[in-house]
Amino acid sequence: SQWKPSEDYAEVMELPADELRRRVAEAGICGMGGAGFPSSVKLSPPEDKKIDSVILNGVECEPFLTSDHQIMLEKTEEIIIGLKIIMKIVGAKSGFIGIEANKPDAIAKMEECLANEKKIEVVGLKLKYPQGAEKQLIKAAVDREVPCGGLPMDVGVVVHNVATSNAIYEACRWRKPLIERTVTVTGSIVKEPKNFLAKIGTPLVDLLNQCGGLTDNPRKIIFGGPMMGFTVADLNTPITKGTSGITILSEAEARPVETKNCIRCGACVDICPMSLVPTLIAEHSKKGNYEEAEKLGVMDCIKCGSCAYICPARIPLIQRFDLARMELAKRRKR
């Protein structure tokens, strides 16, 4: 007979919250959506921060990436059990799984497995970038607004990625450390784009070989998606715990563009999901006025890349924000 996770986790749920939290920490579980933040820290909110809701992030709003979609279809029960474990650790009474409407099969499978569950709900979300960001997901799923400079725990919420939930289940049930993850390898010049279950540390070139190689010389290799990922220069770069995908862009797709002066069109202001003024923040960062950039909210930027994508002057806004954040961090450390 086929083994089912849902029939074999009662003993895990009988463990005290401290033991479950310890197993998560020992397994080295971290945010697998890309942030890489230690999960055990998220599962240890201060005593004055009461958590009543846990949200699993299954949005995966980055173009090209499908690893979270894949794991929701193949590890549905494990993800749900992982959510129950998280809820027990933080003492939450309600659980939500946010999934965008372009994944109807994942929504249907989750709802099927949750047919008899009263404390967990699947929330179908509209297609809207960057809905996978924590603050936007919290607003869409439970209609709560995280204050500027605040954290999800400030509104009684903890957010984890669906892949992280699966890893938490494996850590608590099997004492399995985080040694592998699902990775999307994709791009127009990849012969056979695929999702892989790959060991942490696997060189990118090994995964590309399993895809049949490339049809053209790559212009840009991105760890993550094209909007929020970061570029690497070497095909031997290994995947990490936070590598949800690898996107390969061709010469035509990633050709260099000339940066021009800001024309004050306001497009970046209109599109910013955090209601910032990206052009002013970037200008202060360029001039070294990092305190002014901080006053304008540079630390609230979620690095979604929407402003840089829409900017007609092709100003490297995100890079300037990163510079300001790094300099501010250095000054605080000093």
Side-chain angles (χ1 to χ4, degrees):
S1 61
Q2 187 175 5
W3 171 80
K4 293 185 177 180
S6 59
E7 299 172 356
D8 188 39
Y9 77 101
E11 62 185 77
V12 174
M13 298 304 294
E14 292 174 359
L15 294 172
D18 287 343
E19 171 62 17
L20 293 171
R21 189 183 294 110
R22 185 176 67 82
R23 293 189 181 191
V24 171
E26 288 179 346
I29 310 300
C30 68
M32 297 173 70
F37 193 78
S39 297
S40 60
V41 177
K42 270 192 177 183
L43 297 175
S44 306
E47 291 185 4
D48 62 328
K49 302 292 184 182
K50 300 301 181 183
I51 306 300
D52 60 70
S53 300
V54 176
I55 302 176
L56 288 191
N57 189 345
V59 173
E60 196 168 45
C61 56
E62 276 266 42
F64 298 119
L65 303 188
T66 58
S67 58
D68 284 349
H69 188 185
Q70 186 78 34
I71 202 169
M72 284 191 287
L73 295 176
E74 295 189 4
K75 300 286 185 177
T76 313
E77 291 187 40
E78 290 91 331
I79 290 170
I80 292 171
I81 297 170
L83 173 54
K84 292 179 180 178
I85 292 171
I86 296 169
M87 291 169 63
K88 177 168 183 174
I89 292 175
V90 300
K93 302 298 182 184
S94 302
F96 302 89
I97 305 175
I99 308 174
E100 279 194 316
N102 64 342
K103 304 174 181 65
D105 48 355
I107 293 174
K109 193 164 185 183
M110 284 288 180
E111 289 179 338
E112 180 184 350
C113 290
L114 290 169
N116 299 318
E117 293 287 344
K118 296 181 180 179
K119 295 182 179 180
I120 301 176
E121 177 186 348
V122 178
V123 183
L125 303 172
K126 294 180 180 179
L127 299 179
K128 185 178 181 180
Y129 183 81
Q131 199 149 225
E134 276 191 338
K135 293 182 179 181
Q136 281 66 35
L137 178 60
I138 291 169
K139 175 63 177 176
V142 296
D143 197 24
R144 301 181 193 177
E145 293 189 14
V146 179
C148 290
L151 296 171
M153 66 177 65
D154 294 327
V155 293
V157 176
V158 165
V159 180
H160 282 276
N161 180 264
V162 288
T164 308
S165 181
N166 176 62
I168 287 174
Y169 161 75
E170 293 181 339
C172 293
R173 177 65 184 88
W174 307 111
R175 298 291 190 95
K176 178 183 175 182
L178 184 51
I179 58 173
E180 60 187 8
R181 65 154 301 135
T182 307
V183 183
T184 300
V185 180
T186 185
S188 61
I189 59 175
V190 178
K191 282 187 179 179
E192 300 176 24
K194 296 177 181 178
N195 283 319
F196 293 97
L197 180 62
K199 293 289 190 292
I200 306 301
T202 302
L204 166 58
V205 66
D206 289 354
L207 298 180
L208 283 176
N209 289 337
Q210 294 296 318
C211 292
L214 301 173
T215 60
D216 198 358
N217 292 326
R219 172 70 191 182
K220 187 175 287 189
I221 304 165
I222 304 172
F223 268 39
M227 296 296 289
M228 300 179 72
F230 60 92
T231 58
V232 297
D234 191 345
L235 288 176
N236 288 305
T237 303
I239 67 167
T240 67
K241 295 178 181 180
T243 308
S244 58
I246 299 162
T247 309
I248 315 290
L249 300 181
S250 66
E251 291 279 353
E253 293 169 319
R255 61 181 181 274
V257 293
E258 181 184 355
T259 299
K260 301 178 182 178
N261 293 326
C262 175
I263 60 173
R264 300 291 190 269
C265 66
C268 61
V269 179
D270 290 338
I271 204 169
C272 179
M274 298 304 296
S275 301
L276 303 178
V277 186
T279 180
L280 282 181
I281 296 173
E283 190 64 25
H284 281 299
S285 176
K286 182 181 178 181
K287 293 177 179 179
N289 301 330
Y290 304 120
E291 286 78 10
E292 292 299 319
E294 184 175 23
K295 290 177 183 178
L296 290 169
V298 69
M299 302 306 290
D300 288 322
C301 171
I302 61 174
K303 298 176 66 174
C304 67
S306 298
C307 56
Y309 180 81
I310 203 170
C311 177
R314 314 309 296 169
I315 299 170
L317 297 166
I318 301 300
Q319 287 86 341
R320 292 181 182 176
F321 298 164
D322 282 344
L323 175 61
R325 291 155 74 114
M326 286 190 292
E327 288 298 324
L328 288 167
K330 287 180 184 178
R331 293 182 184 187
R332 288 196 184 97
K333 190 174 181 179
R334 287 197 294 267

